[in-house]
Amino acid sequence: MPLSMNRDVFITCAVTGSGDTAGKSPHVPRSPKDIAASAIDAAKAGAAIVHCHVRDPETGVPSRRNDLYKEVTDLIRSADVDVVLNLTAGMGGDMIFGNVENPLPLNPDGTDMAGATERVSHVAECLPEICTLDCGTMNFSLGDYVMTNTPSMLRAMAKMMTDLGVRPEIEAFDTGHLWFAKQLVEEGLIEDPVLIQLCMGIPWGAPDDLNTFMAMVNNVPKNWTFSAFSIGRNALAYPAAAVLAGGNVRVGLEDNLYVGKGQLATNAQLVEKAVGVIEGMGARIIGPAEVREKLKLTKR
């Protein structure tokens, strides 16, 4: 396909995630105060959107507590910098099977299954401008963990998000997820303008080689807005790949802990790195006001 570089690029910073990273770097924020502060620093560094999970402030393990989301939301909205708020709605679909000989009963250590209304309850309470919708089920990482999002669950959650006036950011980890995302749009459960995040290199979804990445890009409808990222060692190469392919950029400590070999990063440093790459390519960084106009978002 001909090169179609994006000249007006927005950056999303994925601030903390739900992975087992809080003990691997002192910069991964745990408490609502620290998550909000890191998000605000990322915004000041050039991120137009901050994508936030929450963690138990004491242990650092991922959490779905509405009060933690509310505190993060209030702190970001009261800050002296403008930024688009994107809250995850991916929690509550974690299934850990017993073992290879006895898959049932499920292992309670790590299994976290919730209904659609409960999975979206913090979105209904906080009303962010964007929330994520992981658009499929997949074997995730190692062991017996499966990320579960059934078609019925996704239809219910998409309708709730749309009815709340919150823009879903479809997270696609493989081509089948893109296929079902198109179905949700066709059924009117997700409205224009459609926003999608291409999640590359997560075991065992779409690998982050350029052939697979372009297969994903080529399956994104031309009138959708897409962003892309990879994890780990390729995370800082993907801003260039995403912009060259016509998309936008995501970086952050959810995806990658390092700004250089052996150098632990902050979220702001990762955003600064992405800004340098994007501007070095001759593209322009757009801010939250232009993102809201582009995606028809409602500022709360």
Side-chain angles (χ1 to χ4, degrees):
M1 65 175 290
L3 189 66
S4 184
M5 175 177 161
N6 184 11
R7 299 285 175 177
D8 299 294
V9 180
F10 64 77
I11 298 173
T12 296
C13 181
V15 176
T16 188
S18 61
D20 183 22
T21 55
K24 297 177 181 178
S25 170
H27 303 305
V28 176
R30 296 184 177 197
S31 71
K33 182 178 179 181
D34 289 344
I35 292 168
S38 194
I40 292 162
D41 287 345
K44 290 178 178 178
I49 303 172
V50 288
H51 169 59
C52 296
H53 292 242
V54 294
R55 295 176 179 268
D56 183 288
E58 300 300 324
T59 65
V61 301
S63 175
R64 291 191 288 108
R65 282 171 47 189
N66 284 21
D67 61 315
L68 299 178
Y69 279 109
K70 184 67 164 60
E71 187 174 351
V72 168
T73 298
D74 290 345
L75 287 167
I76 291 173
R77 285 178 173 159
S78 63
D80 60 351
V81 63
D82 187 23
V83 69
V84 174
L85 180 61
N86 175 345
L87 295 182
T88 184
M91 306 289 289
D94 300 328
M95 184 180 292
I96 313 293
F97 287 88
N99 59 55
V100 295
E101 299 298 343
N102 298 288
L104 297 177
L106 297 176
N107 187 341
D109 185 15
T111 293
D112 178 31
M113 297 294 292
T117 300
E118 185 177 348
R119 289 180 68 174
V120 181
S121 63
H122 64 292
V123 176
E125 181 173 351
C126 298
L127 290 177
E129 293 164 87
I130 301 171
C131 69
T132 58
L133 184 67
D134 297 346
C135 217
T137 295
M138 64 179 276
N139 294 331
F140 204 103
S141 191
L142 304 176
D144 298 298
Y145 171 37
V146 177
M147 177 183 75
T148 60
N149 296 285
T150 67
S152 295
M153 178 70 75
L154 290 170
R155 284 185 169 95
M157 292 175 66
K159 185 177 188 308
M160 291 175 188
M161 294 168 183
T162 298
D163 289 348
L164 287 167
V166 176
R167 176 77 58 207
E169 179 192 59
I170 301 164
E171 290 201 336
F173 296 80
D174 216 336
T175 51
H177 300 180
L178 268 170
W179 186 8
F180 190 69
K182 294 174 187 176
Q183 183 65 28
L184 293 176
V185 173
E186 185 176 323
E187 293 175 13
L189 296 170
I190 295 177
E191 299 175 341
D192 289 331
V194 180
L195 172 63
I196 191 159
Q197 185 75 246
L198 303 180
C199 310
M200 308 299 297
I202 293 89
W204 299 101
D208 62 4
D209 65 89
L210 290 179
N211 283 337
T212 305
F213 176 51
M214 290 311 300
M216 295 279 278
V217 170
N218 290 337
N219 275 286
V220 175
K222 297 301 182 185
N223 60 328
W224 290 17
T225 296
F226 81 90
S227 181
F229 72 94
S230 183
I231 63 171
R233 65 186 299 175
N234 289 334
L236 293 179
Y238 250 72
V243 173
L244 278 173
N248 299 281
V249 169
R250 169 171 143 171
V251 293
L253 293 176
E254 177 172 354
D255 308 325
N256 163 49
L257 298 179
Y258 294 92
V259 72
K261 187 173 182 179
Q263 298 176 315
L264 290 171
T266 66
N267 278 306
Q269 288 172 332
L270 293 173
V271 173
E272 288 167 358
K273 195 85 165 180
V275 168
V277 170
I278 295 163
E279 291 184 338
M281 295 172 69
R284 181 176 69 95
I285 308 293
I286 67 173
E290 287 185 76
V291 169
R292 289 189 184 99
E293 182 178 359
K294 181 182 182 70
L295 299 177
K296 298 182 180 178
L297 302 177
T298 301
K299 185 178 179 180
R300 312 292 183 181

